[in-house]
Amino acid sequence: SYASFFTGKYPTQHGAVDWRASVKDNRLVEQLNDRGYDTIGFSPHILPGEYGLAESFSQAELISKPSDPPYSDDPAFDVIESRSYNGRLGTARKYVDAIRLILGKPSPQTVLNKAHAIVRRWRQRLGWWTDSGARTIFKKSRSSIKNAERPFFLFTNFLEPHFPYKPPREYVYTYLDNNHSIEKLNHMSYFELLDTVIGDLTISSERKKILTALYDACIHYLDDQIHDFYQFLDREGYADNTLIVVLADHGELLG
């Protein structure tokens, strides 16, 4: 989908039909560059260099999600990622290997990443869910627009209205009654929807209603963030001369 957005071509033409593909012809951004635009891209997904899309932007940055570990150069993580694990038994082996590596050769990065994971897990269990990078994206977008000396093209990509549905805490009960526990919502927002997607569970109308409510809360949160950003454009005098396009690369399996 992203390759088609930027190239104007069908998948049969641009060839980006799996995660190994790299797009060589970012026609949209390259033509904007030729017309004197400052081309800016912020995304927590899809934008890193190996996919080719970022190379044409004058400024492109992969945004870390709050759930991402603070250190990417983690020796234990690198070893685990280099090994092959299959099935449920493989998953168990993966955790055992990780524990052995952490206890055997504890690097500062591994210790801090593990601490981050433990804190994040407990925050999620208590319902202190965070966004998937939207606040950071809009903060960086405001700064880049203020520093742009030419007309600008800004591409921002968001994962908030996306499985698993975990809106920030203040939005959790926007469309739900308070009698739904955080523990139940945690389980439903991930495991039950995952089972539904792979066909192992037929979801009841009541459970579908809850998942849809969480999905709507995620949309509501992102809508509020976009509203605040539009107000910024208006205050800075950009709104009247800026074209805003909203589009999605896929839908969700909620019927």
Side-chain angles (χ1 to χ4, degrees):
S1 297
Y2 286 93
S4 294
F5 294 162
F6 287 112
T7 65
K9 297 179 180 179
Y10 289 109
T12 50
Q13 295 171 304
H14 59 60
V17 294
D18 59 42
W19 292 103
R20 296 184 298 273
S22 181
V23 179
K24 303 299 182 184
D25 176 27
N26 192 336
R27 186 175 300 178
L28 173 62
V29 174
E30 288 168 1
Q31 290 188 3
L32 288 166
N33 288 333
D34 292 341
R35 286 163 173 76
Y37 278 76
D38 195 359
T39 51
I40 307 161
F42 295 116
S43 173
H45 182 52
I46 288 294
L47 204 58
E50 62 262 31
Y51 297 118
L53 295 173
E55 296 173 5
S56 297
F57 285 87
S58 53
Q59 177 188 357
E61 184 176 342
L62 184 68
I63 302 299
S64 295
K65 301 184 292 294
S67 59
D68 290 339
Y71 293 97
S72 58
D73 55 338
D74 182 337
F77 178 78
D78 291 341
V79 171
I80 293 298
E81 285 297 294
S82 67
R83 297 178 181 176
S84 178
Y85 299 91
N86 297 314
R88 293 184 177 180
L89 182 60
T91 301
R93 282 186 53 230
K94 182 175 183 177
Y95 283 108
V96 171
D97 285 354
I99 292 170
R100 284 175 176 169
L101 286 167
I102 291 169
L103 294 177
K105 296 180 179 179
S107 70
Q109 297 96 321
T110 300
V111 172
L112 290 171
N113 280 350
K114 186 60 180 176
H116 174 269
I118 292 171
V119 170
R120 182 174 63 86
R121 191 172 298 117
W122 276 106
R123 285 179 62 85
Q124 288 190 340
R125 286 182 179 177
L126 296 173
W128 291 105
W129 301 337
T130 55
D131 76 0
S132 298
R135 279 198 175 98
T136 302
I137 288 172
F138 280 124
K139 181 180 179 181
K140 288 180 175 290
S141 296
R142 290 183 179 94
S143 176
S144 292
I145 288 173
K146 284 184 175 181
N147 292 328
E149 297 180 356
R150 302 178 290 174
F152 67 86
F153 167 78
L154 172 68
F155 168 69
T156 53
N157 181 29
F158 303 100
L159 293 179
E160 276 69 25
H162 194 288
F163 159 80
Y165 309 127
K166 293 190 175 183
R169 187 180 178 92
E170 61 269 29
Y171 290 81
V172 171
Y173 292 104
T174 308
Y175 300 94
L176 282 173
D177 297 329
N178 290 331
N179 59 345
H180 298 291
S181 70
I182 290 294
E183 181 181 9
K184 177 182 179 182
L185 298 180
N186 261 317
H187 191 274
M188 286 195 63
S189 69
Y190 188 80
F191 293 106
E192 294 196 6
L193 185 60
L194 182 62
D195 289 340
T196 306
V197 170
I198 63 177
D200 287 352
L201 176 70
T202 301
I203 196 166
S204 69
S205 58
E206 175 61 22
R207 291 168 187 258
K208 178 180 173 182
K209 182 179 178 181
I210 293 172
L211 286 172
T212 303
L214 289 173
Y215 177 52
D216 287 344
C218 291
I219 294 172
H220 191 157
Y221 167 73
L222 186 57
D223 280 352
D224 284 349
Q225 294 295 309
I226 293 172
H227 172 73
D228 291 345
F229 184 66
Y230 181 82
Q231 288 189 317
F232 156 78
L233 293 175
D234 196 28
R235 287 194 308 270
E236 297 295 321
Y238 293 110
D240 290 340
N241 197 33
T242 299
L243 178 66
I244 299 176
V245 181
V246 180
L247 67 166
D249 59 320
H250 66 82
E252 297 290 275
L253 295 176
L254 295 172

